[in-house]
């Protein structure tokens, strides 16, 4: 018989209403300070260390980090902590070293607001805007849907209400503050949400250790239950070396292909701000990921016969704290989903209004008209995300991984665009097409999956995409020399500093 969570609706509603009310107020306040398209999409490149560091890691972390991953680890043991902890250490460092410093400079020099702004300018092709815009709609709407599904799960667990209530409620709040305040509203709320996430990770870990009777007792219990909980590759051989390496690379190197994280570099004030933000953000990510995932391991020793593994963190908090404190830190999990949705929602809105509408459909559209359209598009995309969350086509982890992997193929045109002058627009577009096709093939076709030898499908997909980039670029016309000079001469100055 499963150990069901007993709903605590009054404390939960009280805390959640206050929390969501604060988020809505911030959106209203941000709207009063949002005066231009640059403010709406990238805060006009004025974000400081605290906002930049916390906003980056809070956007990177999601419902998967606080629900799906601990739930997976609950069935694996210590080896499961390799799912994201090593990647959390490098997921801000590697992008900053490889592309971050250059993006800060390019963004300030040429007024780039989105990933498509950079790719379109670098490859001297408006087609890049269309390709990226379509890809973002296809992959990022599911990513937002995964977060909103988590909100539904939490509301159902703590109140007994249907999951769609949580899905709709969270969706409406996020739409409101993103529609009104854009990136300013998103990043201001990210600071609160990121801080709350760290607090949730710390408290959940402490409570889990106390519930388990201390580290020695927890480890003794795990050993008596199943020794594989204490060793690699974990229970059921979940974490073989190839999958371990895949997770480190997936959650660190491939974050460069995520538009909502890529755009964060355009918001940063300068290079010094970026490097300080890296230290702050990396510390926050490592601390939060380590403790919340470790709590999933500790929970094995104290909570058995759980109904759904994704409930492990809510159960630890509810059993170890009074209802109001438990609800407060449960709001930290809601914050993880909201902070991911808001960054993606603003970025996806930019893909539709700037990358597709202003650059392809109506090239004469003014910034003011795009600003107004952005608010409407934010509502429409938000409604689609809510419907996605209501119908729930898959698990949080599966949807999140699918979306992240799909956008990750843009690592190839981004890196080649910065480091190889000969790369062309057709090469970039072909690399994305081949990368997505290979990703789906190596995921869905058993024979091809075996050829990956246990590595994630994104690995062979990226290799094939890179090879395609080189071949097609060699066969097609390079961008004008003026375009190459605009990018590489400026980047050469950056590298020399």
């Amino acid at each position: 018989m499963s150990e069901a969570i007993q709903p605590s609706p009054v404390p939960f509603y009280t805390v959640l209403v206050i929390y969501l009310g604060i988020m809505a107020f911030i959106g209203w306040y941000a709207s009063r300070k949002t005066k231009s398209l640059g403010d709406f999409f990238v805060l006009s490149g004025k974000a400081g260390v605290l906002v930049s560091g916390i906003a980056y890691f809070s956007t990177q972390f999601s419902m998967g980090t606080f629900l799906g991953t601990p739930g997976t680890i609950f069935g694996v043991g210590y080896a499961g902590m390799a799912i994201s902890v090593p990647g959390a250490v490098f997921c801000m460092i590697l992008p900053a070293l490889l592309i971050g410093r250059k993006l800060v400079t390019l963004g300030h020099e040429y007024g780039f607001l989105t990933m498509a702004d950079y790719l379109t300018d670098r490859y001297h092709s408006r087609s890049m805007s269309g390709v990226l815009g379509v890809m973002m709609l296809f992959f990022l709407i599911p990513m937002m849907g995964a977060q909103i599904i988590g909100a539904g799960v939490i509301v159902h667990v703590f109140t007994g209400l249907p999951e769609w209530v949580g899905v709709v409620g969270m969706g409406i709040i996020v739409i409101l503050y993103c529609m009104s305040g854009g990136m300013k509203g998103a990043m201001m709320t990210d600071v609160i949400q990121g801080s709350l996430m760290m607090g949730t990770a710390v408290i959940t870990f402490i409570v889990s250790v106390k519930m388990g009777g201390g580290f020695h007792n927890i480890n003794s219990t795990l050993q008596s239950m199943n020794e594989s909980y204490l060793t690699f590759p974990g229970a059921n051989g979940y974490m073989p070396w190839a999958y371990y390496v895949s997770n480190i690379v997936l959650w660190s190197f491939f974050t460069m292909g995520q538009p909502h994280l890529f755009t964060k570099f355009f918001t940063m004030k300068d290079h010094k701000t970026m490097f300080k933000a890296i230290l702050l953000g990396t510390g926050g990510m490592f601390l939060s990921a380590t403790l919340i995932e470790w709590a999933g391991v500790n929970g094995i020793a104290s909570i058995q016969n759980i109904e759904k593994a994704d409930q492990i963190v809510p159960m630890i908090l509810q059993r170890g704290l009074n209802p109001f404190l438990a609800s407060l830190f449960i709001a930290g999990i809601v914050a993880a989903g909201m902070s991911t949705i808001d960054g993606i929602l603003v970025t996806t809105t930019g893909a539709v209004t700037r990358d597709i509408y202003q650059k392809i459909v109506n090239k004469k559209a003014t910034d003011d008209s795009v600003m107004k359209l952005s608010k409407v598009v934010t509502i429409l995309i938000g409604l689609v995300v809510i419907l996605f969350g209501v119908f729930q086509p898959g698990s949080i982890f599966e949807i999140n991984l699918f979306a992240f992997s799909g956008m990750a193929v843009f690592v190839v045109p981004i890196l080649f665009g910065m480091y190889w002058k000969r790369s062309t627009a057709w090469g970039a577009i072909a690399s994305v097409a081949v990368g997505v096709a290979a990703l789906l093939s190596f995921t869905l076709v058993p024979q091809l999956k075996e050829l990956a030898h246990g590595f994630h499908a994104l690995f062979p997909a990226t290799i094939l995409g890179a090879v395609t980039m080189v071949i097609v670029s060699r066969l097609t016309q390079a961008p004008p020399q003026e375009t190459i000079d605009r990018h590489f001469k400026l980047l050469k100055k950056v590298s020399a500093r």
Side-chain angles (χ1 to χ4, degrees):
M1 183 176 178
S2 63
E3 302 182 38
I5 295 177
Q6 298 300 316
S8 304
V10 174
F12 179 80
Y13 283 138
T14 302
V15 171
L16 198 61
V17 167
I18 293 172
Y19 170 71
L20 295 179
I22 293 172
M23 297 298 103
F25 172 78
I26 290 174
W28 170 81
Y29 174 79
S31 68
R32 301 183 63 190
K33 302 294 183 180
T34 301
K35 306 298 183 183
S36 68
L37 210 58
D39 286 341
F40 190 87
F41 287 122
V42 294
L43 240 107
S44 292
K46 297 177 181 178
V49 174
L50 182 66
V51 172
S52 298
I54 295 181
Y56 190 99
F57 102 74
S58 60
T59 301
Q60 165 77 329
F61 279 5
S62 64
M63 286 289 189
T65 309
F66 284 79
L67 290 179
T69 302
T72 300
I73 290 170
F74 182 75
V76 176
Y78 281 107
M81 291 178 66
I83 290 175
S84 65
V85 169
V89 178
F90 302 108
C91 72
M92 202 171 171
I93 295 174
L94 285 181
L97 292 176
L98 292 173
I99 66 173
R101 196 176 183 201
K102 297 177 179 181
L103 288 178
V104 172
T105 301
L106 289 167
H108 282 274
E109 184 73 18
Y110 302 129
F112 295 156
L113 303 181
T114 65
M115 181 191 284
D117 281 350
Y118 164 73
L119 291 174
T120 299
D121 193 80
R122 164 60 183 87
Y123 289 106
H124 196 71
S125 170
R126 294 186 183 276
S127 298
M128 292 300 301
S129 291
V131 171
L132 180 58
V134 171
M135 288 278 287
M136 287 171 67
L137 288 172
F138 187 74
F139 288 109
L140 294 189
I141 285 178
M143 187 178 287
M144 287 185 279
Q147 314 313 311
I148 215 167
I149 288 170
V153 170
I154 289 173
V155 169
H156 175 66
V157 165
F158 275 80
T159 69
L161 290 172
E163 292 186 2
W164 69 262
V165 176
V167 168
V168 173
M170 180 178 181
I172 290 173
I173 292 295
V174 175
I175 289 171
L176 287 176
Y177 72 71
C178 285
M179 178 187 69
S180 57
M183 187 58 76
K184 189 176 186 68
M187 291 186 75
M188 287 175 68
T189 53
D190 280 351
V191 173
I192 296 176
Q193 291 162 346
S195 302
L196 190 54
M197 276 188 266
M198 284 191 281
T200 298
V202 172
I203 295 301
T204 304
F205 174 72
I206 293 173
V207 171
S208 71
V209 173
K210 184 178 179 180
M211 287 177 62
F215 293 114
H216 178 74
N217 188 61
I218 289 172
N219 290 332
S220 296
T221 303
L222 293 179
Q223 186 173 27
S224 66
M225 293 173 66
N226 185 347
E227 287 190 359
S228 62
Y229 282 140
L230 303 175
T231 60
F232 271 86
N236 303 315
Y238 183 85
M239 189 61 67
W241 73 271
Y243 190 55
Y244 173 73
V245 172
S246 291
N247 275 280
I248 294 176
V249 178
L250 185 69
W251 303 113
S252 56
F253 178 80
F254 285 104
T255 56
M256 287 182 286
Q258 309 304 312
H260 52 296
L261 297 174
F262 183 99
T263 304
K264 287 292 191 289
F265 290 109
F266 293 148
T267 69
M268 297 179 185
K269 188 184 301 182
D270 50 39
H271 299 139
K272 289 183 180 179
T273 296
M274 185 193 73
F275 286 117
K276 290 178 182 178
I278 290 172
L279 296 177
L280 177 63
T282 297
M285 284 185 279
F286 182 64
L287 176 69
S288 301
T290 300
L291 295 185
I292 200 67
E293 293 182 14
W294 200 341
V297 177
N298 295 338
I300 301 172
S302 54
I303 299 176
Q304 287 81 42
N305 302 317
I306 191 170
E307 181 184 354
K308 293 175 68 175
D310 287 349
Q311 295 177 353
I312 184 61
V313 169
M315 288 187 76
I316 289 172
L317 290 172
Q318 191 185 63
R319 293 186 179 191
L321 297 172
N322 71 56
F324 280 98
L325 281 177
S327 298
L328 175 63
F329 292 110
I330 284 298
I333 301 175
V334 176
M338 290 180 71
S339 63
T340 299
I341 292 176
D342 58 28
I344 299 175
L345 184 54
V346 174
T347 305
T348 308
T349 296
V352 175
T353 58
R354 278 181 54 77
D355 304 337
I356 296 177
Y357 178 73
Q358 191 178 37
K359 294 180 180 178
I360 297 176
V361 177
N362 183 7
K363 298 176 183 179
K364 296 181 180 180
T366 64
D367 284 357
D368 185 58
S369 65
V370 172
M371 183 84 164
K372 293 177 181 177
L373 180 63
S374 294
K375 297 179 186 298
V376 176
V377 171
T378 298
I379 295 175
L380 295 177
I381 293 176
L383 291 175
V384 174
V385 170
I386 289 174
L387 290 174
F388 192 96
V390 169
F391 288 102
Q392 300 186 22
S395 72
I396 294 173
F397 181 79
E398 291 170 341
I399 296 170
N400 217 33
L401 185 60
F402 165 77
F404 186 95
S405 302
M407 293 310 304
V409 299
F410 275 94
V411 163
V412 174
I414 289 169
L415 287 179
F416 273 82
M418 287 192 177
Y419 292 98
W420 189 37
K421 295 180 180 180
R422 189 61 183 78
S423 56
T424 70
W426 284 112
I429 293 171
S431 73
V432 170
V434 170
V436 172
L439 176 68
L440 295 175
S441 298
F442 277 90
T443 300
L444 301 175
V445 181
Q447 293 82 355
L448 291 177
K449 193 172 183 178
E450 290 180 7
L451 291 177
H453 298 291
F455 289 98
H456 191 277
L458 191 55
F459 281 41
T462 303
I463 293 171
L464 291 172
V467 172
T468 301
M469 167 66 91
V470 173
I471 294 174
V472 176
S473 291
R474 288 293 186 186
L475 297 175
T476 53
Q477 185 176 359
Q481 188 60 42
E482 179 186 356
T483 298
I484 300 299
D485 290 342
R486 288 180 72 241
H487 281 256
F488 282 86
K489 285 186 178 180
L490 182 63
L491 297 183
K492 188 175 182 181
K493 292 178 182 178
V494 175
S495 301
R497 291 175 186 171

